[in-house]
Amino acid sequence: MLTAYQEVRDRIYEMARRYSLRPDWAESTRNVRLLLLYDASQMVVARATVPVRDITMAKLERLRDDLAPIFGKEWME
Amino acid sequence: MRLTVLVQHEQALDTGAWVWTALPQGFPGSAGGRTIPELHDEVEALKHFFTGEDQETDIAVDYIYELPGVAPEILIDYRHERSERDRVASELTRANDQLSAKARAAASALRAAGLSIRDCAALMGLSKSRFEQISS
């Protein structure tokens, strides 16, 4: 599973392109960035937090599970 | 609305630091902090994002801590007892306010009836100086 922030971010961009979704970063805190995914009609289809610092397995698994309905279960592999 | 957050203590993969992770139950996202107060601040900042609610929505957060080696009941029992203490303390304050009002009324009635301060104090079960405080 991807564990580095840059890898995860790039995978999100890649998957978003594949599913014709637009990623948008709502804001950032010290530890996470807030991600919104929009479909072609500009509806938010998913929201998630992407850890940038002090990355833990629990946070990564939560991110994987939050976006699995959109990107599929294996999207972070 | 209420938001329940599960809190875990784990080692970060990138920094190696032991950190706190908050996982909202039933909502997407996560938050974290190197200390519990830092985690609380981040959850407060992100709770509307987690739930998808407007910023105006009042969201109370319930924390459930998973602490290895510490039974969850220890904190739950402590919090329960503390809220029970706060409830009783609040009732005591209210009862004291009511008693003060009754004491002033009684003191006033006794003095109006022409009783001496010493007799008034005795009837009310107070010291003379305490009676004087109440009736002043």
Side-chain angles (χ1 to χ4, degrees), chain A residues 29 47 49 54-56 62 66, chain B residues 10 13 15 29-30 49-50:
Chain A
T29 70
R47 62 181 189 279
T49 52
D54 287 342
I55 298 169
T56 66
R62 173 54 68 97
D66 286 343
Chain B
E10 52 180 348
L13 302 170
T15 60
S30 65
F49 179 81
F50 293 151

Side-chain angles (χ1 to χ4, degrees), chain B residues 7 34 43 76 80 98 104 123 126:
Chain B
V7 179
R34 293 197 172 187
V43 169
I76 292 168
H80 174 75
Q98 276 185 350
R104 281 193 298 274
L123 284 170
L126 300 171

Side-chain angles (χ1 to χ4, degrees), chain B residues 22-39:
Chain B
L23 302 170
Q25 302 299 288
F27 296 100
S30 65
R34 293 197 172 187
T35 63
I36 295 280
E38 204 177 296
L39 173 124

Side-chain angles (χ1 to χ4, degrees), chain A residues 3 6 14 16 20-23 28 31 33-34 38 41 47-50 56 59-60 63 66 68-69 72:
Chain A
T3 58
Q6 288 83 359
E14 179 190 332
S20 302
L21 300 173
R22 180 173 64 83
S28 300
N31 299 310
R33 294 184 78 189
L34 311 186
Y38 292 87
S41 63
R47 62 181 189 279
T49 52
V50 180
T56 66
K59 287 179 185 174
L60 291 170
L63 173 61
D66 286 343

Side-chain angles (χ1 to χ4, degrees), chain B residues 61-124:
Chain B
V61 182
D62 296 321
Y63 292 93
I64 300 172
Y65 297 92
E66 272 188 5
L67 305 171
V70 181
E73 299 78 41
I74 288 179
L75 266 181
I76 292 168
D77 285 352
Y78 162 71
R79 286 169 187 279
H80 174 75
E81 287 302 320
R82 197 175 70 170
S83 61
E84 186 62 14
R85 188 273 318 265
D86 291 346
R87 188 187 64 74
V88 171
S90 161
E91 264 184 33
L92 181 62
T93 302
R94 189 182 52 77
N96 272 331
D97 290 347
Q98 276 185 350
L99 182 63
S100 294
K102 299 257 183 209
R104 281 193 298 274
S108 178
L110 291 171
R111 289 293 286 150
L115 275 69
S116 69
I117 288 176
R118 193 174 299 276
D119 286 342
C120 290
L123 284 170
M124 290 181 66

